[in-house]
Amino acid sequence: MTENDKQTESRILEAASEVFLEKGMDGARMQDIADRAGINKSLLHYYYRTKDHLFNTVFEKTVNQMLMRFAPVLDQDLTFEEKIRFFFHEHIDFLMNNRRLPSFLLNEINRNPERMTKLMEKIEVHKLWDTLHAQHKKELNAYNINREDFPQIMVSVAALSLFPFAGFEIVSRILEKHGTGFDEFIEKRKDFATQFVIKALKK
Amino acid sequence: MTENDKQTESRILEAASEVFLEKGMDGARMQDIADRAGINKSLLHYYYRTKDHLFNTVFEKTVNQMLMRFAPVLDQDLTFEEKIRFFFHEHIDFLMNNRRLPSFLLNEINRNPERMTKLMEKIEVHKLWDTLHAQHKKELNAYNINREDFPQIMVSVAALSLFPFAGFEIVSRILEKHGTGFDEFIEKRKDFATQFVIKALKK
DNA sequence: AATAAGTTAAACTAAATAGTTAAACAATAT
DNA sequence: ATATTGTTTAACTATTTAGTTTAACTTATT
């Protein structure tokens, strides 16, 4: 694979990523992707035989990119509260640079749930929860957190950081009418969500 | 308009609603809608000239249906805490019977943000906030809630009830691996979310 | 220089799909 | 009874779009 190859291939992936994130699998056009990559359709098919193949490549890359950003949470020597703060700051920072990602992922997974099957093997969320739970056993007793509440808490944490982006078009317009910008709102949200969750969990 | 008309028209709307909610505007097929309504394509176009027209009708009806369910919150003589409880119970109950709605709405609005413009005129969220704020001025002082935090709080409340449905395919699979069913999780969520928010807001 | 790989252009195929048309039949209204 | 409206059938058009093909051209590789 030559240097030229890499340039073209990464230009394709970048363009495809843009188009898929904007329009979704159904709405994306191969011609549009070729145009944005600055190549023609023949070459696009030369690199990725089918739209499906291209989509899967982009999808997997995107998911990986996101997961790698949060793996560190587990490995760090932080208190439970510090991990909550770390997560909200890292996650919201990442989403700020990938605003369309939540809505894209949620939608494509709903449209094609089989994709989840592969994804589940990769993330193994329940093992992640086990680890977290084991790491902070003593702390968690200081809150009123038992094992059965864990799913409710984790879904809530995810919701608080993902939802404003998933509903970007709605949220930002409402904020505007309220005299706040989306960026300002999101910047504040890192601390707000952290405090919100910590207070909600305390006895 | 005869009785027969109404039957056909409502069968069409029901079928269209199903298909659009499952597949989205791009993925939906007019033939599919006709089939599910038990009529043929010609008749479908006889009632709704274009797919766009049909989609807009379904979209508006769906949004109206949802809004009408929550208008009562404002008019009732409840404390702020009681309103939070009322909202989570009503909202989650409604979503339970319309599981695909959050993901559908979020996605279609992201794909075609102009739709929001009309929507915004209808809902006037910031007026709703003003009303709420005025109704509970004294109570809100007892919490540590000032006017600037209102958007953060409202977005959080919406997130906590909408997100599990928007991410249904992900959430339900993770719960399964954890030994919980989605329905069970959602039933518990009505109270969990209520307590979560109330505790988070208290001084 | 010769071979191979990357790239373009342009015309093409095949399939899917929104929307149309026209003729016939059924149900309802006047 | 008759005109109107609702409905079916089935073939049709027009458009969009994924994917192919082929010939020529360019840029590395050997």
Side-chain angles (χ1 to χ4, degrees):
Chain A
M1 195 180 270
T2 72
E3 186 53 35
N4 217 344
D5 274 342
K6 269 181 202 150
Q7 274 184 48
T8 306
E9 192 159 345
S10 71
R11 282 224 314 280
I12 289 176
L13 288 177
E14 219 172 303
S17 178
E18 274 178 38
V19 175
F20 282 133
L21 279 168
E22 273 173 36
K23 310 268 176 89
M25 168 66 169
D26 283 338
R29 299 290 159 242
M30 292 297 269
Q31 186 62 61
D32 193 4
I33 293 171
D35 290 348
R36 291 213 209 181
I39 59 171
N40 65 8
K41 218 174 38 149
S42 305
L43 193 59
L44 181 55
H45 280 102
Y46 178 74
Y47 277 87
Y48 293 90
R49 237 161 285 178
T50 64
K51 187 183 181 182
D52 238 72
H53 182 23
L54 179 54
F55 180 84
N56 287 332
T57 308
V58 168
F59 187 84
E60 280 170 33
K61 281 215 164 200
T62 309
V63 170
N64 269 331
Q65 198 191 347
M66 196 172 74
L67 292 180
M68 290 207 314
R69 181 80 177 246
F70 313 111
V73 195
L74 285 181
D75 305 329
Q76 277 177 302
D77 189 22
L78 299 173
T79 65
F80 190 66
E81 286 194 10
E82 284 168 342
K83 281 189 183 174
I84 289 174
R85 158 164 263 108
F86 179 87
F87 173 80
F88 276 122
H89 281 253
E90 283 293 295
H91 198 225
I92 291 177
D93 245 8
F94 174 76
L95 293 179
M96 200 60 183
N97 296 314
N98 298 271
R99 298 183 183 205
R100 303 194 107 101
L101 193 54
S103 143
F104 169 78
L105 288 180
L106 291 176
N107 195 56
E108 293 303 336
I109 288 167
N110 278 323
R111 294 267 173 280
N112 184 352
E114 303 83 65
R115 256 194 274 279
M116 271 306 294
T117 314
K118 291 175 199 160
L119 245 178
M120 291 295 295
E121 290 163 17
K122 205 169 273 168
I123 47 180
E124 296 197 307
V125 180
H126 67 294
K127 283 194 180 175
L128 194 147
W129 290 357
D130 286 344
T131 310
L132 256 184
H133 202 260
Q135 283 175 341
H136 301 282
K137 214 158 201 165
K138 286 175 192 169
E139 293 170 71
L140 293 179
N141 286 334
Y143 302 97
N144 50 356
I145 299 174
N146 49 20
R147 204 61 219 290
E148 297 90 66
D149 283 341
F150 230 63
Q152 296 284 354
I153 294 165
M154 292 294 118
V155 170
S156 302
V157 167
L160 291 174
S161 79
L162 284 169
F163 180 79
F165 294 95
F168 169 74
E169 293 291 344
I170 304 173
V171 172
S172 65
R173 280 168 202 240
I174 292 172
L175 291 177
E176 253 169 53
K177 284 218 172 185
H178 194 266
T180 322
F182 185 75
D183 288 19
E184 187 190 338
F185 173 84
I186 286 299
E187 197 51 44
K188 280 185 187 163
R189 189 150 188 87
K190 295 175 191 169
D191 284 332
F192 177 87
T194 306
Q195 288 315 311
F196 194 83
V197 170
I198 288 174
K199 283 184 62 189
L201 294 181
K202 275 202 174 132
K203 268 184 184 155
Chain B
M1 195 179 270
T2 73
E3 185 54 33
N4 216 345
D5 273 343
K6 268 181 199 150
Q7 275 184 45
T8 307
E9 193 159 343
S10 72
R11 283 223 316 282
I12 290 177
L13 288 176
E14 219 173 301
S17 179
E18 274 178 41
V19 176
F20 282 132
L21 279 167
E22 271 173 38
K23 309 270 175 87
M25 168 66 171
D26 283 338
R29 299 291 158 241
M30 291 298 269
Q31 186 62 61
D32 194 4
I33 293 170
D35 290 347
R36 291 212 209 180
I39 60 171
N40 62 13
K41 217 174 40 147
S42 303
L43 193 59
L44 181 55
H45 279 101
Y46 178 73
Y47 276 88
Y48 292 91
R49 236 161 287 176
T50 65
K51 187 182 180 182
D52 238 73
H53 181 24
L54 179 55
F55 180 85
N56 287 331
T57 307
V58 167
F59 187 84
E60 280 171 32
K61 279 217 162 198
T62 309
V63 170
N64 270 330
Q65 197 192 345
M66 196 172 74
L67 292 181
M68 291 207 314
R69 182 80 178 247
F70 312 113
V73 195
L74 286 181
D75 304 330
Q76 277 176 301
D77 189 21
L78 300 172
T79 66
F80 189 65
E81 286 194 11
E82 283 166 344
K83 281 189 184 174
I84 290 174
R85 160 165 261 107
F86 179 87
F87 173 79
F88 276 121
H89 280 253
E90 283 292 295
H91 199 225
I92 290 177
D93 245 8
F94 174 76
L95 294 178
M96 201 60 183
N97 295 313
N98 298 271
R99 296 183 184 205
R100 304 195 107 101
L101 193 55
S103 144
F104 168 78
L105 287 180
L106 291 176
N107 195 56
E108 295 301 337
I109 288 167
N110 277 323
R111 295 267 173 278
N112 184 352
E114 303 84 61
R115 257 193 274 279
M116 271 306 293
T117 313
K118 290 175 201 162
L119 246 178
M120 291 296 294
E121 290 164 17
K122 205 171 273 169
I123 46 181
E124 296 198 306
V125 181
H126 67 294
K127 282 194 181 177
L128 194 147
W129 291 357
D130 286 344
T131 309
L132 255 184
H133 202 260
Q135 283 175 339
H136 301 282
K137 214 156 200 164
K138 286 175 188 167
E139 294 170 70
L140 293 179
N141 285 334
Y143 302 98
N144 50 357
I145 299 173
N146 48 21
R147 203 59 218 289
E148 297 89 68
D149 283 341
F150 229 62
Q152 297 283 354
I153 293 165
M154 292 293 118
V155 170
S156 302
V157 167
L160 290 173
S161 78
L162 283 169
F163 180 79
F165 294 96
F168 169 74
E169 293 290 344
I170 304 171
V171 171
S172 66
R173 280 169 201 239
I174 291 172
L175 291 177
E176 254 169 54
K177 285 219 170 183
H178 194 267
T180 321
F182 186 74
D183 287 18
E184 188 190 339
F185 173 84
I186 286 298
E187 197 51 43
K188 280 184 186 163
R189 192 152 187 86
K190 294 175 191 170
D191 284 333
F192 177 87
T194 306
Q195 288 314 311
F196 194 81
V197 171
I198 288 173
K199 284 183 63 187
L201 293 181
K202 276 202 173 131
K203 268 184 181 155

